[in-house]
Amino acid sequence: MQNLDLLKSKLSNPSKIVITTHVKPDADALGSSLGMANYLIKKGHDVQVITPSEYPGFLHWMKGNDDVLVYSEDTHDTAKVLMDQADIIMTLDFSVLGRIDELGDMVKEANGFKVNVDHHLDPEDFADFRLWDTGAAATCELCYDLIVALGDADFIDKDIAECLYAGIMTDTGGFRHPNTTQNVHEVVAKLIAHGADNSRVSKEVYDKNSIDRLRFLGYALSQNLQVIPDSRVAFFALSEDELRQYNSKTGDTEGLVNYALSIEGITLAGLFKESAGGVKISLRSIGKFPANEIAAKYFNGGGHRNAAGGKVELSLEDTVDRFKSVLEEYKDQLEEEYKLL
Ligand code: 5GP
Ligand code: MN
């Protein structure tokens, strides 16, 4: 952890702090943002969380949700003023400013002390204080470590603990992915000791489905899911029409790709989702198969080895064709990783 003393001294006086995270925040992005926000407010700071875009309703239970400023909802001017006036700007769960578009430019231009906490690969070096560890399962895990390193473990209450717990729970796939280390279990044990109701958090995040979402899931599994013969690859390709037909909302396709990966014999799973002039791609893999390499090389994206994504300005059909044509290159690896299990 570099410059911890410098960060400590920056936080020793009440400051104006802006916290921001990546587009389409997930539980780790929002949980780390609101977890840190609740902690910093408790320490006497004036804190504003700004998300680049909206996020799913199953995250709205987190304390501080009502005060979040959503940049895409016509709050550009307010966001600019807050960024410019901030003494400290925290960027959480991403480390390439380009990922938050205009908001990233605002961070770049602002004079505040910049903090970056993240666990993604290939960070951009823009922060004055960086806690970056690709070995961490979640940014929430790193935020817990940071609060402890700052000597403030006692500040962690039920609300903070539940925000952080949520991010660790989802980024480990419910404590199932290979990133579920001993440290993960130790940190969540501490969060439970600080008051996190783990069963409630899991209910809020995983078991608050709308009937539309379940009907959509039924449709996707029975009509849309495709397994490419003899390839160890399965995927969904959803058009805007299909999404509209099932009244699909932000977050409704979250986790869908994992159903494709859960099929026996599958090494790589994809979800291709048509949206506003392009296609959003989600890839998931098992073992050492590099989903992030495919995302970076062919889909303008990146991510972790087993969970990556990207976006292209192609039709849905062309995107799927591109995906299929890439698979030949990975034929042996797709087979290899399956055998290693
Ligand atoms: P998801 O499939 O849940 O949208 O994203 C999984 C992971 O892929 C994210 O945690 C992030 O690391 C990465 N990712 C998703 N979309 C993009 C993208 O457009 N660009 C980059 N660089 N990474 C992405
Ligand atoms: Mn994360």
Side-chain angles (χ1 to χ4, degrees), residues 22 26 93 96 99 119-120 171 254 257 280-284 295 299-304 307-311:
H22 61 73
D26 55 12
D93 202 35
V96 177
R99 272 206 81 194
H119 67 138
H120 291 92
D171 266 23
E254 191 92 9
V257 63
K280 173 82 187 78
I281 295 111
S282 284
L283 298 175
R284 299 291 185 272
F299 298 108
N300 306 316
H304 314 275
K311 200 169 176 9

Side-chain angles (χ1 to χ4, degrees), residues 16-298:
K16 285 194 171 120
I17 302 178
V18 166
I19 298 177
T20 191
T21 186
H22 61 73
V23 181
K24 298 244 173 194
D26 55 12
D28 193 31
L30 196 72
S32 57
S33 298
L34 288 175
M36 284 307 280
N38 290 321
Y39 153 67
L40 292 165
I41 289 167
K42 228 171 153 180
K43 264 181 89 82
H45 300 289
D46 176 0
V47 185
Q48 177 67 55
V49 174
I50 305 176
T51 61
S53 63
E54 57 164 351
Y55 45 85
F58 62 76
L59 301 178
H60 289 183
W61 55 271
M62 289 183 191
K63 188 183 175 197
N65 170 69
D66 293 345
D67 300 321
V68 171
L69 192 74
V70 181
Y71 183 73
S72 58
E73 290 172 356
D74 244 357
T75 59
H76 305 53
D77 298 346
T78 319
K80 176 79 179 145
V81 171
L82 286 163
M83 284 281 186
D84 285 345
Q85 290 181 348
D87 303 306
I88 300 172
I89 298 174
M90 293 201 162
T91 58
L92 306 180
D93 202 35
F94 74 105
S95 41
V96 177
L97 290 176
R99 272 206 81 194
I100 57 168
D101 307 324
E102 281 168 48
L103 207 50
D105 294 334
M106 285 188 194
V107 174
K108 222 177 258 174
E109 287 157 18
N111 290 320
F113 183 83
K114 286 161 201 158
V115 176
N116 181 224
V117 183
D118 186 37
H119 67 138
H120 291 92
L121 300 169
D122 305 324
E124 195 181 311
D125 196 5
F126 65 87
D128 302 296
F129 174 87
R130 190 168 84 179
L131 173 54
W132 176 71
D133 181 2
T134 53
T139 296
C140 284
E141 182 185 357
L142 293 172
C143 286
Y144 172 82
D145 290 342
L146 180 59
I147 296 172
V148 171
L150 288 165
D152 286 338
D154 290 347
F155 279 79
I156 302 175
D157 56 22
K158 179 180 167 66
D159 294 317
I160 298 169
E162 289 187 345
C163 290
L164 298 180
Y165 184 92
I168 300 174
M169 178 183 77
T170 57
D171 266 23
T172 55
F175 308 103
R176 294 188 307 153
H177 296 336
N179 61 1
T180 314
T181 58
Q182 180 179 342
N183 190 59
V184 162
H185 283 294
E186 282 169 2
V187 169
V188 296
K190 298 264 173 51
L191 293 174
I192 291 170
H194 283 289
D197 181 342
N198 49 319
S199 172
R200 178 184 98 96
V201 172
S202 141
K203 168 88 185 147
E204 292 283 3
V205 173
Y206 293 128
D207 295 333
K208 287 267 170 107
N209 287 312
S210 65
I211 188 72
D212 278 344
R213 185 183 188 196
L214 289 186
R215 298 237 186 273
F216 170 71
L217 174 64
Y219 165 76
L221 292 174
S222 63
Q223 309 293 315
N224 191 277
L225 176 61
Q226 293 187 52
V227 177
I228 307 178
D230 307 317
S231 74
R232 309 224 169 271
V233 178
F235 70 92
F236 298 92
L238 293 159
S239 68
E240 275 189 305
D241 271 353
E242 288 168 301
L243 293 163
R244 206 173 304 122
Q245 202 182 328
Y246 284 88
N247 200 14
S248 178
K249 301 206 177 49
T250 300
D252 279 4
T253 52
E254 191 92 9
L256 184 61
V257 63
N258 295 319
Y259 284 97
L261 192 66
S262 76
I263 302 169
E264 159 71 13
I266 294 300
T267 301
L268 175 67
L271 166 65
F272 304 94
K273 201 169 105 174
E274 192 178 39
S275 77
V279 176
K280 173 82 187 78
I281 295 111
S282 284
L283 298 175
R284 299 291 185 272
S285 67
I286 58 165
K288 293 202 166 56
F289 188 86
N292 54 348
E293 189 182 299
I294 295 182
K297 267 166 86 174
Y298 301 102

